[in-house]
Amino acid sequence: MKTAGKLLSLGLMVGVLATTATVPASAADTYLDCSAAVDGDGSPAQPRNSLGSAFDLGPGDSLLLKRGTTCHGRLEVTGGGSEIQRARVGAYGSGELPQLNGTGRDAVLLVDTSNLTVGDLDISNPGTGGPIGEGDQIRNGVRVIAQAGTVSDLTIGGLEIHDVDGDLTKTPEGSAAIQISATGAAPVRFTGLHITGNQITSVSRSAISISGSNDLDRPEASQAWPEASSGVVIKDNRIDQVAGDGIVTRGTDGALIEGNVVSHGNLAGRPLLDPEGPMCNAGIWAFRANNTVIRGNEVFGMEHNGCDGTGFDVDYRQDGTVIEGNYSHDNEGGFVLLCTDTATHRADVRFNLSVDDGTMINHGPCGIADGILGDLSGIRMFNNTVVGDSPTTSIQLAVSDEMYQPGSFLFRNNLVYARQPAGQIACGNDCTHNAFFNLPPSGTHAVTADPQLIAGYRLGPKSPLRGAGMPITGGATTDYFGNPVPATPSIGFDQAPASRPAQPTPACRKARKARDRTIERAADLNRKLKKLRSRHAPRMQTRSVASRLGKARAEVKRLTRVARRACRPNGGAS
């Protein structure tokens, strides 16, 4: 009996210890109201009233800023949550989002913060308030750094970031609305990083910039790269008015860039021979990265300014990139930039729609300053639909009669549609089964008959492009609209069967037009607000414009969702 009693006591003790080990530490909420007259203890009744030093969060903790208030300086956060209890930085109360107005390098700084969600903040870092691209120091809206180890499960979403007037420093830690940097030695990196649903307007230099690893020995895409950041998702962000790049990922493996809208970038671009040095930017691209998927995005209004300005970019020092199902239009620098490389350099540009871009392909030796020439071997461009007055292949908008060092570059099953008669398209040595309307045929097995397009540049029921393509080994399984790709594909981005009814898209066009009008209105209000602030206008006048701007940005967010729904496959049918 004594032995049984000891065993029972021991079992109870083990049970208590086990239970104690799994009980999470108590969580704490810290409230911050920068309009409060007295600095309190962080409770709802006595909130903190200044940003002060770093806020160190633990599992389940929340740092909550009062809506309708403005804090000046830098919000620094350290620590973080756990897999069981996330930490959070957000808002409390009612009214407009709490404003964080940066006065130095960073408006928000996150240092080694895992298992954390940051959202519901209005962030700016205006500097001197000069024209975009003329800032005189590095400035960020949000800067996230991993310096001591791997940062995991971090979400940055639902932020409104604007008026970040940084300089044009193009480094892994330059100016950006959101700058993510692994500053520690490899294998310091990020895993499970999500940047979603943010509104970014009027920023310099970049909108979203990721530097995910300091490991310079990037392997081929087919090999493991444990030193790279992984699980990176950049999704459903709205970006407008950017001095440089829209979205760029570096030091990542398997990043997904999906459903973003980027407009009016490369505003501070400079030509290759500019006395101050070139400044070349694109809408969305990856560098020193593997297996990047760039899918379902829209990029428009990129300026050229003498260098790049394309919607998308297959740069050198990348491998395994897929650019698919995107909508590129009205970009001065063109649809896509293709860079030569000496290393293994595979990429698929497939099932995209390009309308009224400055050129179809902008290409050349982008790495010449680093001593990298090479060719375009490994890049495949297939089943894209390109529409314009006079589509071309070019080098920085100088039309090319022949491609520069195409190597084994593949150009297949593409529809190139000119609204007016134009010259022949250069498409490399492996150019076959493409359609050229109002253009001389290029390559082999070209189709020059009227493609009989219907609304949305889709193929009509009797289009000669149906079933006229050539199979692509290891190609996509679905087209731009989500239709299965048949064994013998059609030419262009539309693979739907001929028997389907016509799919007019007036609702889609109407929704996009309403969204774009509101974007322009928000941009006008933003410029007006900056002028008022620079002139130290009366506070009531500034507040009125700021309030209208906030409402316009909220309306942009709403109309963006409406446009996405209307423009989904069959979403705009009537």
Side-chain angles (χ1 to χ4, degrees):
M1 290 296 292
K2 288 184 178 181
T3 301
K6 288 181 179 179
L7 288 174
L8 178 60
S9 299
L10 181 60
L12 290 172
M13 184 178 295
V14 171
V16 169
L17 289 174
T19 302
T20 303
T22 58
V23 172
S26 60
D29 292 344
T30 299
Y31 293 84
L32 175 62
D33 176 2
C34 286
S35 68
V38 179
D39 191 24
D41 59 9
S43 65
Q46 297 180 326
R48 298 284 302 275
N49 73 347
S50 66
L51 299 178
S53 57
F55 292 86
D56 189 50
L57 302 182
D61 290 353
S62 293
L63 172 61
L64 304 174
L65 284 70
K66 187 175 182 179
R67 289 177 177 270
T69 64
T70 300
C71 295
H72 298 275
R74 182 180 77 184
L75 172 64
E76 181 176 350
V77 178
T78 58
S82 66
E83 292 183 5
I84 299 174
Q85 288 186 300
R86 298 181 61 78
R88 182 170 76 95
V89 177
Y92 78 97
S94 60
E96 296 182 354
L97 293 178
Q99 296 183 13
L100 283 167
N101 191 330
T103 56
R105 174 165 182 166
D106 309 308
V108 177
L109 176 63
L110 309 179
V111 182
D112 291 328
T113 51
S114 293
N115 302 296
L116 173 70
T117 298
V118 179
D120 296 328
L121 302 173
D122 180 314
I123 299 169
S124 62
N125 199 350
T128 57
I132 190 168
E134 295 188 10
D136 58 3
Q137 68 182 81
I138 294 176
R139 285 182 179 269
N140 297 290
V142 178
R143 182 161 65 112
V144 182
I145 59 177
Q147 59 185 16
T150 297
V151 170
S152 60
D153 200 6
L154 173 64
T155 297
I156 299 173
L159 301 179
E160 294 187 7
I161 306 176
H162 55 95
D163 301 304
V164 178
D165 295 334
D167 63 12
L168 298 177
T169 301
K170 190 169 185 174
T171 68
E173 292 188 78
S175 298
I178 299 176
Q179 175 64 57
I180 311 292
S181 300
T183 60
V188 170
R189 63 193 183 112
F190 296 88
T191 63
L193 171 66
H194 291 75
I195 302 174
T196 62
N198 300 287
Q199 299 280 328
I200 299 174
T201 309
S202 189
V203 296
S204 176
R205 177 185 178 281
S206 304
I208 300 175
S209 172
I210 295 181
S211 299
S213 175
N214 281 315
D215 177 33
L216 301 179
D217 296 323
R218 177 184 60 83
E220 294 184 5
S222 57
Q223 299 174 356
W225 189 16
E227 295 82 7
S229 286
S230 60
V232 174
V233 176
I234 304 172
K235 188 173 183 179
D236 296 337
N237 299 283
R238 179 65 180 97
I239 297 167
D240 185 51
Q241 299 289 328
V242 187
D245 297 306
I247 300 172
V248 56
T249 55
R250 308 174 189 85
T252 59
D253 192 355
L256 173 63
I257 306 173
E258 183 175 37
N260 304 281
V261 179
V262 178
S263 58
H264 306 111
N266 198 34
L267 300 183
R270 295 194 296 258
L272 293 171
L273 300 180
D274 190 277
E276 295 185 48
M279 188 59 61
C280 308
N281 308 281
I284 302 177
W285 60 294
F287 186 72
R288 200 164 57 79
N290 285 347
N291 301 308
T292 308
V293 177
I294 301 172
R295 175 193 298 146
N297 305 279
E298 179 181 357
V299 181
F300 65 94
M302 295 293 294
E303 294 187 4
H304 178 56
N305 290 325
C307 190
D308 295 357
T310 54
F312 301 90
D313 171 10
V314 177
D315 221 283
Y316 65 108
R317 289 181 178 162
Q318 62 75 43
D319 190 23
T321 300
V322 174
I323 300 176
E324 65 179 6
N326 300 284
Y327 178 33
S328 172
H329 62 99
D330 302 290
N331 296 299
E332 286 185 358
F335 162 38
V336 64
L337 174 67
L338 304 180
C339 299
T340 60
D341 202 348
T342 53
T344 302
H345 180 235
R346 290 162 293 194
D348 280 357
V349 181
R350 64 199 193 192
F351 294 100
N352 301 284
L353 173 62
S354 166
V355 180
D356 293 324
D357 287 320
T359 186
M360 177 178 67
I361 298 173
N362 187 354
H363 75 299
C366 312
I368 191 169
D370 294 329
I372 296 175
L373 295 176
D375 58 30
L376 298 175
S377 293
I379 300 178
R380 306 190 302 179
M381 190 167 176
F382 59 92
N383 285 101
N384 301 283
T385 293
V386 178
V387 179
D389 290 340
S390 304
T392 59
T393 297
S394 69
I395 298 177
Q396 296 301 345
L397 299 190
V399 177
S400 305
D401 294 330
E402 296 181 359
M403 293 195 75
Y404 173 82
Q405 297 294 341
S408 63
F409 170 69
L410 179 148
F411 191 83
R412 187 180 297 173
N413 301 344
N414 299 287
L415 165 58
V416 186
Y417 186 105
R419 296 194 186 94
Q420 59 195 28
Q424 190 171 41
I425 296 287
C427 52
N429 304 319
D430 190 354
C431 177
T432 184
H433 291 79
N434 300 287
F436 299 95
F437 182 67
N438 268 336
L439 297 155
S442 295
T444 61
H445 304 287
V447 178
T448 58
D450 185 341
Q452 300 182 36
L453 301 182
I454 58 174
Y457 308 105
R458 304 183 76 161
L459 301 182
K462 297 182 179 181
S463 171
L465 307 191
R466 292 190 172 280
M470 181 179 180
I472 303 289
T473 302
T477 57
T478 57
D479 70 358
Y480 181 94
F481 301 97
N483 299 305
V485 177
T488 302
S490 298
I491 293 175
F493 77 150
D494 179 17
Q495 303 295 311
S499 59
R500 65 162 171 80
Q503 304 280 334
T505 58
C508 175
R509 290 194 297 271
K510 182 178 179 181
R512 280 179 172 158
K513 187 175 291 185
R515 180 202 63 198
D516 292 345
R517 281 199 302 265
T518 309
I519 289 169
E520 293 298 332
R521 186 168 74 251
D524 289 342
L525 288 169
N526 186 54
R527 285 190 288 269
K528 184 176 181 179
L529 183 60
K530 289 181 70 174
K531 287 182 181 178
L532 290 173
R533 286 172 173 167
S534 66
R535 296 172 183 170
H536 304 288
R539 190 173 183 183
M540 184 174 295
Q541 187 178 5
T542 303
R543 276 188 170 180
S544 174
V545 176
S547 176
R548 289 161 57 198
L549 176 59
K551 292 177 181 177
R553 284 177 172 149
E555 184 67 0
V556 167
K557 195 170 184 179
R558 185 187 72 81
L559 290 175
T560 298
R561 292 194 296 268
V562 171
R564 285 202 192 100
R565 287 195 297 268
C567 299
R568 285 172 184 159
N570 301 320
S574 61

